[in-house]
Amino acid sequence: MAPNLTLKSHTSWAHAWQRCLAVAPEAFRDDRVLNLWDAAWQADGRALPATSPVDGSPVAGPPRLDGATAHRAVRAGLDHHRAWRHVPLGERRARVAATLDALTEHRELLALLLVWEIGKPWRLAQADVDRAIDGVRWYVDGIEPMVEGRVPLDGPVSNIASWNYPMSVLVHAVLVQALAGNAVIAKAPTDGGVACLTLACALAAREGVPVTLVSGGGRELSEALVRAPEIGCVSFVGGRDTGAAVATAVADLGKRHILEQEGLNTWGIWNFTDWDALTAVVPKLFDYGKQRCTAYPRFVVQRESFDDFLAAYLPAVRTLKVGHPLAVARPDDPYPDLDFGPVINAAKAKELHDQVAEAIDRGAVPLHRGRPDDARFLPGQDTGAYVQPVTLLNPPPSSPLHHAEPFGPVDTIVLVDTEAELLAAMNASNGALVATLSTDDEETYARLAPQVRAFKVGHGRPRSRGDRDELFGGFGASWRGAFVGGELLVRAVTRGPAGERLPGNFPDHHLMP
């Protein structure tokens, strides 16, 4: 453990909270955040206790609404939608642009909230905020041709998103949906990010953007946020179990939907020799502890190249820097440069530890396990949510690590001998968002890549969700409904000519862009 570390000056949770009270007193109280619906901040809901994954200390919890209140919020959202859809595009652009200016002004506070609430290192927290701002500016600058001949939906867009990218996924989507002429409803994730989202929504609401922000459990709010007839579209980002229930509901109702679900993104190695390139990219794949929808937790490696793979992979994974995102040697030092901090909570950390232990008990071979003594922690801090990087060879088929995304810093490696085995292993989860194939031969890549069931397949480089004009979707069970990214995001939340078929995975058709 690194000795004599202290908290960077002016970065405590108490300091961040006081700044929130000063910036947006309408949305924050001394002891809680508020819900935003019917264009007013409401001191309703049952505020639950919450702790920071960084050190287990108390932070703001979500003020959970009951189902009846959520229905009232949705009905109010429809009223605002009916007014907003008639606001001229120039006015909508001006209000969204003003929101972006306000987010830019408070960029560092938004990032600091992300550090405390979901454990992002400073560099990645800032990147989350910046990607939201820069991405929406791209739409503000080019929205006219995207909405030409199109109209807003009949009701507001309901957004239910995971906790890992509150700004660059959720706030980004909300502002583009509003720019396209829709009122928007956002559900704060249960696991973290409520203060950051509250501040962002407060800044948007001040500029007249019709945003609703509510908190609550999925069971209590699903009838309102998914099934309510007032909802024009459901946008969901999360796991397959919850996503399947949402998919069933929207299919039954014939409702417009965008459902981004998890998949096991894989990196294949076949007839490959550029090992220096692989060594350089491995640490980047551990950004935010692989808690991202486009993380690569599985390597599928040609057996005869396994020794070369290990010689490239192990030195790289041993360089990873883990610890408290705000721990420094001196209070005025720069923020620490870490690859990742904690996972989202101690329960998730225990789940990952248990899955790793069970896989090893059933025959997986541990190739690398990071040492807690190498991490950067404050003296005596709670480290229950931290997981050191782990790499396992051949997890058994009975292990969740064999077929599902761990959503944490756990890599698994599967060895194969034929191209057919390579493709079968890369397609283990019935569809994924991204994949990569590293091979020296262009013809081999061109032949095999189309057989990988991922929306994006990189050649020797990682693929990401993308920004601005880059499209995004998923194959198989990793996606349901309309694809997004670039112009497709606007098309997904607007109506075009009669009989239009949107690119995406729908119950009655699959259409690639």
Side-chain angles (χ1 to χ4, degrees):
M1 185 177 296
N4 301 322
L5 295 181
T6 187
L7 192 70
K8 180 173 172 59
S9 60
H10 307 300
T11 64
S12 69
W13 172 256
H15 180 81
W17 190 257
Q18 290 302 314
R19 290 173 65 184
C20 290
L21 290 170
V23 171
E26 70 272 26
F28 293 83
R29 296 292 182 267
D30 287 340
D31 59 345
R32 60 174 293 174
V33 298
L34 305 183
N35 289 300
L36 171 61
W37 59 274
D38 199 14
W41 291 96
Q42 314 277 355
D44 51 13
R46 183 166 57 97
L48 297 182
T51 58
S52 169
V54 171
D55 61 2
S57 60
V59 295
R64 295 167 68 109
L65 294 180
D66 56 34
T69 307
H71 274 289
R72 292 171 58 200
V74 169
R75 285 193 292 270
L78 177 61
D79 292 338
H80 294 295
H81 177 84
R82 287 170 171 166
W84 178 254
R85 64 180 299 175
H86 298 296
V87 172
L89 177 59
E91 178 66 18
R92 299 200 305 263
R93 284 184 59 184
R95 295 188 188 186
V96 173
T99 300
L100 297 178
D101 291 342
L103 293 174
T104 301
E105 179 183 354
H106 300 290
R107 167 180 178 262
E108 291 195 359
L109 176 54
L110 291 162
L112 184 57
L113 293 171
L114 292 181
V115 174
W116 280 109
E117 293 192 282
I118 61 175
K120 285 200 170 186
W122 181 250
R123 170 177 57 85
L124 300 179
Q126 284 190 307
D128 192 13
V129 177
D130 291 343
R131 285 182 62 189
I133 296 169
D134 295 342
V136 178
R137 283 198 193 280
W138 181 84
Y139 284 94
V140 168
D141 292 341
I143 189 63
E144 286 91 346
M146 298 184 199
V147 296
E148 185 175 356
R150 309 188 66 81
V151 297
L153 300 177
D154 294 333
V157 182
S158 175
N159 293 270
I160 305 169
S162 59
W163 43 265
N164 53 339
Y165 283 87
M167 293 295 298
S168 62
V169 173
L170 182 52
V171 171
H172 176 279
V174 160
L175 292 179
V176 175
Q177 293 160 5
L179 180 64
N182 303 286
V184 289
I185 300 170
K187 177 186 174 297
T190 303
D191 288 319
V194 65
C196 177
L197 283 171
T198 300
L199 178 58
C201 288
L203 298 175
R206 284 182 182 177
E207 303 301 336
V209 177
V211 58
T212 293
L213 178 65
V214 296
S215 297
R219 289 184 180 180
E220 292 84 359
L221 300 194
S222 62
E223 284 294 320
L225 299 186
V226 176
R227 291 184 170 273
E230 294 92 341
I231 297 297
C233 175
V234 176
S235 177
F236 169 86
V237 180
R240 288 192 181 185
D241 290 343
T242 304
V246 175
T248 300
V250 295
D252 290 346
L253 298 168
K255 196 182 294 290
R256 184 74 63 90
H257 56 284
I258 306 161
L259 310 182
E260 176 188 329
Q261 301 171 156
E262 66 187 69
L264 184 63
N265 306 317
T266 58
W267 192 300
I269 307 287
W270 189 259
N271 293 341
F272 176 70
T273 59
D274 190 2
W275 300 111
D276 288 343
L278 181 67
T279 298
V281 78
V282 165
K284 300 175 185 177
L285 302 181
F286 278 85
D287 272 358
Y288 193 34
K290 301 209 171 194
Q291 296 179 105
R292 54 192 303 174
C293 62
T294 53
Y296 287 83
R298 167 68 50 81
F299 286 92
V300 181
V301 182
Q302 188 176 16
R303 189 183 306 273
E304 68 179 41
S305 299
F306 185 46
D307 55 341
D308 290 328
F309 172 83
L310 284 184
Y313 173 88
L314 289 177
V317 79
R318 288 169 182 152
T319 68
L320 295 173
K321 298 184 290 295
V322 184
H324 189 304
L326 303 171
V328 292
R330 293 175 295 276
D332 293 329
D333 279 354
Y335 289 91
D337 183 16
L338 302 176
D339 295 289
F340 60 94
V343 296
I344 187 58
N345 53 45
K348 179 62 179 180
K350 183 181 185 303
E351 175 188 297
L352 290 170
H353 287 306
D354 290 347
Q355 288 180 350
V356 168
E358 181 182 50
I360 293 172
D361 286 344
R362 295 182 180 181
V365 179
L367 298 177
H368 172 75
R369 282 188 275 198
R371 299 186 305 174
D373 287 348
D374 292 335
R376 295 171 53 90
F377 294 132
L378 296 179
Q381 78 160 85
D382 185 325
T383 61
Y386 290 80
V387 178
Q388 301 303 313
V390 178
T391 306
L392 301 180
L393 174 66
N394 288 339
S398 59
S399 169
L401 298 176
H402 180 80
H403 55 79
E405 180 182 11
F407 228 62
V410 179
D411 272 351
T412 57
I413 300 172
V414 173
L415 303 182
V416 295
D417 296 298
T418 67
E419 289 184 355
E421 289 179 328
L422 173 80
L423 291 170
M426 292 189 71
N427 293 329
S429 68
N430 184 27
L433 305 175
V434 297
T436 291
L437 179 60
S438 289
T439 179
D440 293 345
D441 182 47
E442 293 281 352
E443 291 185 3
T444 298
Y445 175 81
R447 178 167 48 82
L448 296 180
Q451 301 178 67
V452 178
R453 288 181 56 77
F455 188 81
K456 297 179 181 180
V457 181
H459 188 183
R461 62 186 182 89
R463 299 306 308 272
S464 71
R465 200 175 199 278
D467 295 304
R468 302 177 183 180
D469 59 350
E470 189 170 359
L471 308 183
F472 192 58
F475 277 7
S478 68
W479 198 279
R480 293 286 184 268
F483 295 146
V484 295
E487 183 182 0
L488 291 189
L489 175 53
V490 173
R491 291 174 64 185
V493 296
T494 55
R495 295 198 180 278
E500 178 185 48
R501 298 208 311 167
L502 295 176
N505 295 330
F506 292 93
D508 59 348
H509 76 270
H510 170 82
L511 180 63
M512 289 298 292

